[in-house]
Amino acid sequence: MSNPNNVNDNPAESTKSKNFIYEIIDEDLKTNKWGSKVHTRFPPEPNGYLHIGHAKSICLNYGIARDYKGKFNLRFDDTNPEKEEQEYVDSIIEDVKWLGGDFEDRILFASDYFERMYQWAVELIKKGKAYVDDLNADEIRSTRGNLTEPGKESPYRNRSVDENLDLFERMRKGEFLNGSKTLRAKIDMASPNFNMRDPIMYRIVHDEHHRQRNKWCIYPTYDWAHGLEDSIEGITHSICTLEFENHRPLYDWFLNELGIHHPQQVEFARLNLSYTVMSKRKLLQLVKENFVDGWDDPRMPTVSGFRRRGYTPESIRNFAEIIGVAKRDALTDIALLEYAIRDDLNKHAQRAMAVLRPLKVVITNYVGEEDLEGVNNPEDQSMGTRKIPFTNEIYIEQTDFMENPPKGFHRLVPGGEVRLRYAYIVKCEEVIKNGKGEVVELRCTYDPETRSGTGTSKKKVKGTIHWISAKHALKAEIRLYDRLFTVEAPDADKEKGFLEFLNPNSLEILDNALIEPFLKDSKRGGRFQFERHGYFCVDTKFTTDDKLVFNRTVTLKDSWGKTS
Ligand code: ATP
Ligand code: MG
């Protein structure tokens, strides 16, 4: 009998086949490699906002901890003072929480381990496994060798332990200029694996750190620091992306030499998403050069961008589930992400009518005013209905009328009939134009027997369109988004550069839209379906007390109003 509370008793029964990492963990539990412990972490560098690739990593790492009743740490890999900022730390904490990654009280910082790392480096120097090198970065690079030739040993490689200890201490004290010395591991300049050719462990960087201020002027490299961070925290499975696969021997080498807790590094394929870029450097460039209105611009592939755009954490978690975890790099179709959010919002979003580009319609034989009934969500009857005011003056979508329609156009045409959603069938009797020949108003008549739900008429028409009562309409600004780039893989063409492929029409602002009056008190971030137009949310940045701004989260795939 399986006992769901015992992590050793194949806890992931239901999720076992989820991916190869679960198989590795199941095996480790079977062989008692870490006892019954499963401990993962998400280790961002606070040098930018999180993107959807990071979200995948969070869902994976946190999901494992949750499924095995283990632990999940949020750890900042803050080892590079030049690019890191508190603003990024704050945004990352907010984003991980929003995604549901539960790190409890464990917000950890690599920089808090600097002293221990330093002591471990001293230990390696004493073992003759590390040395201070006076070559500069260029010289180190040019003596690394290549695929066919081994690297050249540095002339400083065989310094005595005492000299190394003295120099390393003086590096720490700030006696040397940036770049003038490094601490390198003494491994093998002829190793077929470049990462093992005496990799750099410390660089001199005289710069203020966002947390440590000026306490340190030597900073550990990723390769040196990362395994130590994992080890200190008692991580069991250190999950990272594939480009670190050939760093694993080095990860293992450091931990073996020190003889300390040695987590298992496991690599998986990073997420690449079509029609966007994911490198933080490129995202920063989009922000700095004002191609977008910030890291949280709704067109950005950042977690904060998706949040502002109206995505839910559930939809992003479902997306991560759908795409799974692989061992080989691939390009994921952004349509899968759009599917995930549509699926979620379809179930939960309140429906409403919105006219994006209004055309006035006067119903000449209608007198008075009445409330009609609209369904709030056909997928969820418990969401009930709402009242929609109807009068003799309404607005419809400009595109729902055509004077000279092509075949198959089932909306309004001169002399033709159409159903107004939740209301009556109307007939277009007259088209009024301005001096330039543009249609500015329609005169229609309505058939009182065709009232939705209660009318006695059996009359049927092919098209149904949405509308808003002129007197009750609420003005809003609506922002429609297209992909930020015009090609699937904007960073594939190294010569041209990704900015060449920016979509000049990725944002369209409609400042004259009209929406149902009940939307007046919508909360910032509130999500709706505007029938036939897609899912929208109230923008958190540009909405003011006087102006509602909506972002289109995603279009509708299937819509009841798609009549042509
Ligand atoms: P960038 O190269 O854009 O700066 P990064 O990998 O350097 O990204 P980190 O802050 O170091 O950014 O990443 C934190 C964690 O997120 C790492 O464990 C990394 O493997 C993971 N990660 C980063 N990008 C992706 C991605 N596209 N897909 C999956 N995981 C990712
Ligand atoms: Mg990184």
Side-chain angles (χ1 to χ4, degrees):
M1 281 285 284
S2 88
N3 164 9
N5 295 321
N6 183 340
V7 286
N8 266 330
D9 192 11
N10 204 356
E13 197 69 70
S14 58
T15 45
K16 190 172 56 168
S17 56
K18 249 185 173 167
N19 60 56
F20 70 94
I21 302 179
Y22 280 73
E23 286 166 21
I24 292 173
I25 297 175
D26 285 341
E27 188 58 30
D28 290 346
L29 289 172
K30 223 183 274 166
T31 60
N32 218 23
K33 186 169 175 186
W34 319 103
S36 60
K37 214 175 130 184
V38 175
H39 200 149
T40 60
R41 86 289 175 258
F42 173 64
E45 185 180 356
N47 62 351
Y49 281 58
L50 297 183
H51 53 58
I52 186 78
H54 295 117
K56 174 178 177 169
S57 175
I58 293 162
C59 292
L60 174 63
N61 279 290
Y62 172 64
I64 286 171
R66 180 201 55 215
D67 290 345
Y68 288 95
K69 297 185 169 55
K71 287 194 167 135
F72 167 73
N73 289 2
L74 171 59
R75 179 212 308 147
F76 289 95
D77 201 8
D78 55 343
T79 52
N80 183 0
E82 292 155 310
K83 292 184 181 163
E84 299 165 2
E85 286 174 29
Q86 188 60 38
E87 177 194 345
Y88 299 139
V89 171
D90 297 339
S91 76
I92 289 170
I93 294 172
E94 184 186 358
D95 288 350
V96 177
K97 278 190 184 159
W98 182 75
L99 282 168
D102 185 5
F103 43 80
E104 299 170 277
D105 58 351
R106 289 182 304 282
I107 300 179
L108 305 164
F109 292 88
S111 61
D112 287 341
Y113 312 145
F114 281 174
E115 184 61 41
R116 264 203 269 183
M117 291 179 187
Y118 179 85
Q119 295 305 335
W120 273 322
V122 167
E123 206 177 308
L124 286 193
I125 293 173
K126 286 182 179 160
K127 279 179 77 177
K129 299 286 183 173
Y131 63 97
V132 173
D133 196 351
D134 293 4
L135 298 184
N136 63 33
D138 284 341
E139 290 164 332
I140 290 177
R141 209 170 303 122
S142 66
T143 51
R144 270 268 156 95
N146 55 38
L147 284 176
T148 49
E149 277 174 49
K152 271 211 256 336
E153 294 190 353
S154 164
Y156 306 97
R157 195 175 199 259
N158 294 313
R159 278 177 160 149
S160 71
V161 168
D162 285 343
E163 191 184 0
N164 279 320
L165 286 174
D166 174 58
L167 287 173
F168 188 48
E169 193 182 341
R170 289 165 59 197
M171 275 170 71
R172 175 184 182 164
K173 283 187 181 150
E175 288 187 24
F176 307 114
L177 295 176
N178 282 358
S180 61
K181 286 188 170 32
T182 59
L183 184 75
R184 294 177 74 177
K186 196 172 184 176
I187 308 180
D188 179 6
M189 287 306 289
S191 171
N193 184 337
F194 275 70
N195 297 310
M196 303 299 275
R197 293 185 183 176
D198 290 11
I200 296 173
M201 294 164 62
Y202 279 93
R203 299 159 296 129
I204 300 175
V205 184
H206 291 276
D207 201 340
E208 187 170 300
H209 185 277
H210 65 104
R211 296 184 77 242
Q212 303 293 333
R213 299 299 159 204
N214 295 309
K215 187 167 174 203
W216 294 90
C217 64
I218 54 170
Y219 285 90
T221 56
Y222 176 92
D223 281 328
W224 165 241
H226 205 79
L228 304 182
E229 297 160 19
D230 287 339
S231 180
I232 289 169
E233 294 176 13
I235 299 303
T236 55
H237 299 85
S238 174
I239 299 166
C240 62
T241 43
L242 279 183
E243 65 272 24
F244 291 101
E245 193 164 17
N246 55 15
H247 292 242
R248 184 167 10 112
L250 182 55
Y251 181 99
D252 292 339
W253 189 88
F254 282 131
L255 295 175
N256 283 337
E257 288 298 331
L258 294 169
I260 56 179
H261 170 69
H262 188 155
Q264 168 75 52
Q265 178 179 305
V266 183
E267 307 86 15
F268 73 103
R270 65 194 295 118
L271 170 68
N272 299 302
L273 201 58
S274 62
Y275 295 99
T276 193
V277 293
M278 216 93 93
S279 127
K280 281 188 266 190
R281 185 179 59 76
K282 289 174 185 160
L283 296 177
L284 179 64
Q285 195 178 347
L286 291 173
V287 173
K288 283 249 161 89
E289 296 176 19
N290 296 316
F291 291 109
V292 293
D293 72 42
W295 283 95
D296 66 349
D297 185 295
R299 291 165 293 177
M300 290 282 271
T302 50
V303 173
S304 49
F306 283 117
R307 177 165 60 233
R308 202 175 137 206
R309 177 97 173 232
Y311 276 69
T312 59
E314 292 77 18
S315 66
I316 293 177
R317 291 198 296 261
N318 288 344
F319 167 70
E321 197 79 29
I322 295 167
I323 57 175
V325 178
K327 260 286 190 193
R328 224 163 41 109
D329 277 317
L331 187 63
T332 299
D333 191 340
I334 197 164
L336 280 173
L337 184 58
E338 292 171 350
Y339 164 81
I341 184 62
R342 230 180 243 126
D343 188 50
D344 188 13
L345 292 177
N346 180 44
K347 288 181 219 140
H348 306 297
Q350 155 91 51
R351 271 48 169 178
M353 294 197 283
V355 174
L356 306 195
R357 300 170 186 87
L359 171 62
K360 187 170 163 185
V361 173
V362 175
I363 302 166
T364 53
N365 61 338
Y366 186 88
V367 184
E369 185 176 323
E370 70 186 300
D371 279 334
L372 302 167
E373 196 176 50
V375 175
N376 285 336
N377 187 341
E379 303 289 320
D380 181 356
Q381 295 304 325
S382 75
M383 287 176 71
T385 60
R386 68 184 183 284
K387 289 188 171 133
I388 308 174
F390 185 73
T391 56
N392 71 335
E393 208 177 298
I394 62 171
Y395 284 97
I396 65 167
E397 209 67 65
Q398 284 170 18
T399 47
D400 280 337
F401 172 78
M402 277 186 100
E403 203 172 11
N404 301 298
K407 208 164 162 274
F409 183 83
H410 296 308
R411 292 166 273 168
L412 207 51
V413 301
E417 286 184 307
V418 76
R419 171 168 290 284
L420 298 175
R421 175 75 152 160
Y422 298 126
Y424 301 92
I425 291 177
V426 293
K427 182 174 182 188
C428 177
E429 309 282 359
E430 193 184 342
V431 179
I432 297 174
K433 296 180 181 176
N434 63 12
K436 289 186 265 175
E438 296 159 340
V439 177
V440 291
E441 186 182 317
L442 304 176
R443 295 276 163 91
C444 292
T445 51
Y446 88 113
D447 179 347
E449 303 306 318
T450 58
R451 193 181 198 264
S452 270
T454 57
T456 52
S457 168
K458 295 258 181 312
K459 191 190 282 183
K460 284 221 155 56
V461 288
K462 282 195 170 156
T464 303
I465 64 173
H466 60 274
W467 53 275
I468 302 275
S469 159
K471 186 173 139 189
H472 302 89
L474 198 64
K475 267 189 102 166
E477 176 181 305
I478 290 187
R479 296 175 159 237
L480 303 179
Y481 299 100
D482 197 354
R483 309 211 147 130
L484 191 50
F485 294 93
T486 54
V487 295
E488 269 200 328
D491 37 19
D493 190 330
K494 297 288 177 252
E495 245 158 61
K496 279 199 174 145
F498 72 109
L499 293 175
E500 285 282 310
F501 303 105
L502 270 173
N503 177 3
N505 305 313
S506 59
L507 169 63
E508 183 182 2
I509 299 181
L510 304 168
D511 49 16
N512 213 10
L514 299 172
I515 58 179
E516 280 186 53
F518 84 89
L519 292 160
K520 183 166 190 299
D521 301 318
S522 309
K523 286 202 292 282
R524 288 178 172 80
R527 301 182 180 93
F528 302 92
Q529 184 196 94
F530 289 162
E531 300 203 33
R532 300 173 69 212
H533 287 306
Y535 295 97
F536 293 76
C537 79
V538 182
D539 189 58
T540 47
K541 192 162 182 175
F542 296 127
T543 294
T544 62
D545 289 344
D546 306 319
K547 187 168 101 175
L548 274 171
V549 178
F550 286 85
N551 295 313
R552 177 152 70 189
T553 309
V554 68
T555 54
L556 293 174
K557 206 188 222 156
D558 310 302
S559 94
W560 55 265
K562 204 157 190 249
T563 48
S564 66

